[in-house]
Amino acid sequence: MQSAPRNPTVVEKLRRYLISQEGVLFLIMLVAVLFLATRTDKFLTVDNLLQQGRFMTEVGLIAIPMTYIIITGGIDLSVGSIMGLTAIVLGWSWQELGFPLELAIVTGVLSGTLAGFVNGLFIVRVGVPPLIMTLATLALFRGLAEGISQARSARGYPEWFFELGQGEVLGIPTQLWLVIVSVIIFAIVLARTQLGRALYAIGNNETGARFSGLRVNRYLLLIYSFSGFMSGLAGYIFVSRVSTTRSDMGTGIELDVIAAVVLGGTSIFGGTGSVVGTMIGVVLIQLLKNGLALSGVTSDATIVVIGSVLIFAILVNNFVQLRRDGS
Amino acid sequence: MSDLLLRMRGINKSFPGVQALKDAHFEVRRSEVHALIGENGAGKSTMIKIVSGVYQPDSGDMQLDGRAVQFANPREAHLAGIATMYQELGLYPELSVAENIFMGHAPMKKRLGLNTIDWERMESGAEELLAELNIHDLDVGAKVGTLNVGNRQRVEIAKALSLDAQILIMDEPTAALTESDVEQLFSIVRLLRERGVSIIYISHRLNEVFELADRVTVLRDGETIGMQPVAVTNEAELINMMVGRKIENLFPKQEAQIGNVVLEVRNLQRPPLTRDISFSVRAGEIVGLAGLVGSGRSETAQVIFGVLPAESGDILINGAPVKISRPSEAVAQGIGYVPEDRGHQGLIREMSIRENTSMAVLETVSRYTFINRAQERSLANRSIEQLSIRAIGPEQITNKLSGGNQQKVVVSKWLASEPSLLIMDEPTRGIDVGAKAEIHRLMSRLAAEQSLAILMISSELPEILAMSDRILVMREGRLVGEFSRAEATQGRVAHAMMSESARQVASAAP
């Protein structure tokens, strides 16, 4: 190792992190939190923050596979509908088909996974563009959910069922643990494994990936199924949190998820992005929503502010990354 | 007053990294069919693009009808009476025949004070134009998209004539035509010549040149090698002029021990560009696959590599039949493929050298699916050293490398997979002379020292002749010739590539 570069010092490492996509976003988040904390004393409290963690679980879980998918240059618009479908299948198989609740949960999440698999199958085998395919299933899965539920909602779950959505473990909301563990695992999977490398390769140049002998179709099928699975899981958690099953659950969540992913630095054209960035995006949006509401800002004004922050964050990041690449 | 219509002298044109035309000259007489021929990359397209105003020459003068002209854009050339017939590109499939013919200069009339298209005059005008070409069976109201290729081409010609063209440029007009369409096209061309239109005719098919043209100009490496009446030349002489360049900058091939058959394909079939292909490649052997662009060489390579899986036929690796229906299966069988389109198929340009060199061997540099970066980096460092890739280090993004170094990264990706067969599709296209020699030296060394079987596709005959132990020639999706290193000459190989009569020559060769 004669010509190997010397190991970077701690300062250099820190500097590199700070000017990365995630670093810049994290700074923006800090500024936002500090600012909101000066507006109201109800915002920066442990209880409030943990409560916000509970609320962002569904978006957070779905944002992980969405990051994977967008990195490959694809998109999944059907996640909200899969959430609704899962919730309905769960309630319906328990109440109408008489499944034990444990089996009903598994059935629900599996049907979500199957829905994602169907997306992947058509995208890979038939060559339907992801945007078109999942736009179609956005309607189709929602319709299925409505058809099965017949506008009835399923209630009356036993006490243990609410543990995941409403309980706490070691003082932290149960589902937040799930998010934390998932983020750690899937951030590592994306950054360090063959799957992760393949996703980046596909997003940058799908033909090149194929010509290198990567199993492109298999990977795509896997991540769309994974997206269905996580949406199903989110559906289950959502039912557990709100104690009831309705077919319109998860409506519009795909836009929150995509906004968080893109805010987190994942290019909508594919090829770049990270799970950590996405999570900062999820947290930033949730904290802005909550903090502004607590400061007495009306909900329509909140949306305007969030939109502006999104654009601002993306501009700042573009500027920083451009300077970095140029130097 | 001479009957010279177009006269071009001392034309120079260069693009970054390549001089496409060097002091080239060309001319067209009134009522003449003038064929323009040359190998791929000889400068034919550049020449006609200058004539039609798409490119502007760096220097040189161009006279039309005795007056110096310069076209800033295709429109000016158009107005001067130079029409170009592209291969289908110029037509709108959703519009009618008449609309296509008069695109951009439709007859107008005032209606309610507005300028509107005079549909009746347009349709009758289109009919007249077609009638002048002896075409009476075309419905001018039909959508162009519903016509067959031959008829679309007639529409193209009519469109060109609607502008009173004096010169019509036809670029490979018969490439996609059936035989009867070709006959019709030829009669139209002769008709036009009688009417005083001059035609610049570009074709790879020499028999067409002899059938149709009055004179022929040969370009080679951007220079005009010869211009003469067709009557005083012959096929052999033209081929000689097209390919007869000095063999230079090529590394002398190392003698290699030829071993067992590594790859054998039998009756490989995937029409239209892979038809009944059978051949074999042995360990240590470099087999050159020659042919014109579009003859099916790359497609056949991609059939073997599983990108375009075969419809029927057998692939045998080391004597054992294997099924290859996707690239990953080919890689598993020890096949590597350095594709023609480096930036699109060979590299992930946005990724680093490290990530590219390990792309085909992710399994080997991983443990329990976790990629070992240290191992990856040492692989990349080794590649950089072995192939002398000029880069800052393994983390450099490949997009920033020169073409030659990019190609070395692609090669190193496949060497990392330790293949027993390496398919190299145009391995030295678009890279500078130095890197080219390095790639040649590498290929030769791999065959001689590591007994690698190499199937090399190339459009450069000198490269094919210098590097190959054996040469296969493809034309129109079929293998039409095979030559040993000893019996191969530029003339024989080029003849097999281009000529209809080559089939007998090829089968006569042992």
Side-chain angles (χ1 to χ4, degrees), chain B residues 413-427:
Chain B
K413 167 172 81 178
W414 290 113
L415 293 186
S417 75
E418 297 176 356
S420 47
L421 170 75
L422 189 59
I423 305 173
M424 303 180 89
D425 198 343
E426 303 283 2

Side-chain angles (χ1 to χ4, degrees), chain A residues 188 191-195 197 200-201 204-205 207-215, chain B residues 305 326-328 337 344-345 347-348 350 354 359 363 366 369 371 373 376 413-414:
Chain A
I188 293 174
R192 295 285 165 189
T193 67
Q194 295 179 34
L195 170 75
R197 180 67 56 79
Y200 287 113
N204 276 315
N205 179 352
T207 309
R210 263 180 225 282
F211 272 74
S212 299
L214 296 183
R215 304 284 304 263
Chain B
F305 193 62
R326 56 175 77 95
S328 53
Y337 177 48
H344 188 53
Q345 301 170 335
L347 282 179
I348 316 271
E350 295 82 356
R354 169 175 61 81
M359 194 62 77
E363 306 272 338
S366 300
T369 193
I371 297 172
R373 294 220 179 163
E376 244 192 326
K413 167 172 81 178
W414 290 113

Side-chain angles (χ1 to χ4, degrees), chain B residues 237-432:
Chain B
E237 188 187 10
L238 288 184
I239 290 175
N240 236 339
M241 287 161 76
M242 283 163 67
V243 299
R245 89 181 76 131
K246 308 174 286 296
I247 298 182
E248 54 186 356
N249 299 321
L250 288 171
F251 189 76
K253 184 173 153 36
Q254 265 172 274
E255 274 312 310
Q257 196 73 40
I258 308 287
N260 293 329
V261 173
V262 174
L263 169 81
E264 183 176 358
V265 298
R266 292 182 190 153
N267 311 107
L268 223 48
Q269 189 80 13
R270 187 185 164 105
L273 286 169
T274 303
R275 295 173 190 271
D276 198 22
I277 300 280
S278 304
F279 67 89
S280 62
V281 187
R282 290 169 174 272
E285 187 181 36
I286 299 180
V287 173
L289 188 50
L292 297 170
V293 167
S295 59
R297 297 165 302 166
S298 299
E299 288 75 9
T300 299
Q302 291 179 9
V303 168
I304 298 170
F305 193 62
V307 177
L308 310 165
E311 286 172 9
S312 65
D314 302 306
I315 300 176
L316 291 85
I317 300 290
N318 296 321
V322 294
K323 191 178 151 290
I324 296 178
S325 51
R326 56 175 77 95
S328 53
E329 289 172 354
V331 176
Q333 293 297 339
I335 302 176
Y337 177 48
V338 177
E340 179 182 10
D341 186 344
R342 192 161 49 231
H344 188 53
Q345 301 170 335
L347 282 179
I348 316 271
R349 280 186 305 187
E350 295 82 356
M351 295 176 100
S352 64
I353 296 176
R354 169 175 61 81
E355 290 165 313
N356 271 289
T357 45
S358 65
M359 194 62 77
V361 290
L362 281 179
E363 306 272 338
T364 6
V365 296
S366 300
R367 255 190 99 173
Y368 310 118
T369 193
F370 285 93
I371 297 172
N372 181 336
R373 294 220 179 163
Q375 212 176 322
E376 244 192 326
R377 206 165 294 129
S378 72
L379 172 68
N381 276 323
R382 224 165 34 236
S383 303
I384 291 176
E385 198 178 317
Q386 274 174 2
L387 277 69
S388 36
I389 298 170
R390 275 168 288 279
I392 303 167
E395 297 303 324
Q396 187 166 8
I397 302 300
T398 50
N399 212 2
K400 308 243 159 124
L401 300 173
S402 72
N405 284 307
Q406 286 185 358
Q407 184 70 325
K408 288 183 196 167
V409 174
V410 182
V411 174
S412 70
K413 167 172 81 178
W414 290 113
L415 293 186
S417 75
E418 297 176 356
S420 47
L421 170 75
L422 189 59
I423 305 173
M424 303 180 89
D425 198 343
E426 303 283 2
T428 61
R429 165 172 296 176
I431 66 182
D432 64 88

Side-chain angles (χ1 to χ4, degrees), chain B residues 14-261:
Chain B
S14 55
F15 297 101
V18 53
Q19 179 144 24
L21 288 177
K22 289 174 227 163
D23 197 25
H25 59 96
F26 183 59
E27 62 180 45
V28 181
R29 288 186 193 139
R30 228 174 280 282
S31 301
E32 173 188 50
V33 177
H34 196 137
L36 187 58
I37 62 174
E39 280 189 300
N40 300 315
K44 292 169 304 196
S45 329
T46 311
M47 181 66 95
I48 61 159
K49 281 182 175 160
I50 288 175
V51 176
S52 60
V54 177
Y55 295 150
Q56 287 70 46
D58 298 336
S59 64
D61 68 75
M62 186 160 141
Q63 288 187 2
L64 188 64
D65 230 351
R67 276 175 299 122
V69 287
Q70 223 174 354
F71 302 131
N73 53 49
R75 194 175 160 75
E76 287 184 12
H78 236 117
L79 294 175
I82 296 173
T84 312
M85 218 182 82
Y86 298 100
Q87 296 174 14
E88 295 182 39
L89 284 174
L91 295 180
Y92 301 85
E94 287 302 312
L95 298 182
S96 74
V97 170
E99 285 171 293
N100 267 289
I101 291 176
F102 286 102
M103 177 57 63
H105 54 279
M108 307 299 265
K109 81 172 177 198
K110 285 260 186 212
R111 219 175 302 172
L112 302 170
L114 292 171
N115 262 331
T116 58
I117 290 177
D118 185 345
W119 293 98
E120 274 167 33
R121 220 154 36 97
M122 187 160 97
E123 296 208 341
S124 62
E127 268 161 13
E128 272 168 39
L129 274 169
L130 289 171
E132 278 177 32
L133 294 170
N134 265 339
I135 302 168
H136 305 286
D137 53 350
L138 251 177
D139 174 11
V140 294
K143 276 189 186 176
V144 162
T146 64
L147 303 179
N148 67 23
V149 183
N151 277 326
R152 268 183 247 169
Q153 207 164 47
R154 272 164 239 157
V155 175
E156 282 263 21
I157 297 174
K159 178 181 168 184
L161 296 179
S162 70
L163 288 158
D164 293 325
Q166 325 180 53
I167 297 178
L168 178 61
I169 301 171
M170 302 175 105
D171 189 356
E172 294 275 352
T174 56
L177 291 190
T178 63
E179 230 154 88
S180 66
D181 280 334
V182 170
E183 273 315 308
Q184 290 213 23
L185 176 75
F186 284 7
S187 60
I188 291 176
V189 169
R190 295 195 183 100
L191 194 73
L192 289 174
R193 175 172 55 188
E194 277 169 35
R195 301 228 171 108
V197 178
S198 306
I199 288 149
I200 301 175
Y201 191 91
I202 295 171
S203 180
H204 273 309
R205 302 186 183 173
L206 291 181
N207 54 341
E208 291 177 4
V209 172
F210 284 98
E211 189 172 342
L212 208 55
D214 302 303
R215 282 196 301 165
V216 54
T217 291
V218 182
L219 287 179
R220 187 210 308 153
D221 296 335
E223 292 174 68
T224 305
I225 297 302
M227 181 188 299
Q228 47 192 240
V230 167
V232 303
T233 184
N234 58 44
E235 210 167 275
E237 188 187 10
L238 288 184
I239 290 175
N240 236 339
M241 287 161 76
M242 283 163 67
V243 299
R245 89 181 76 131
K246 308 174 286 296
I247 298 182
E248 54 186 356
N249 299 321
L250 288 171
F251 189 76
K253 184 173 153 36
Q254 265 172 274
E255 274 312 310
Q257 196 73 40
I258 308 287
N260 293 329
V261 173

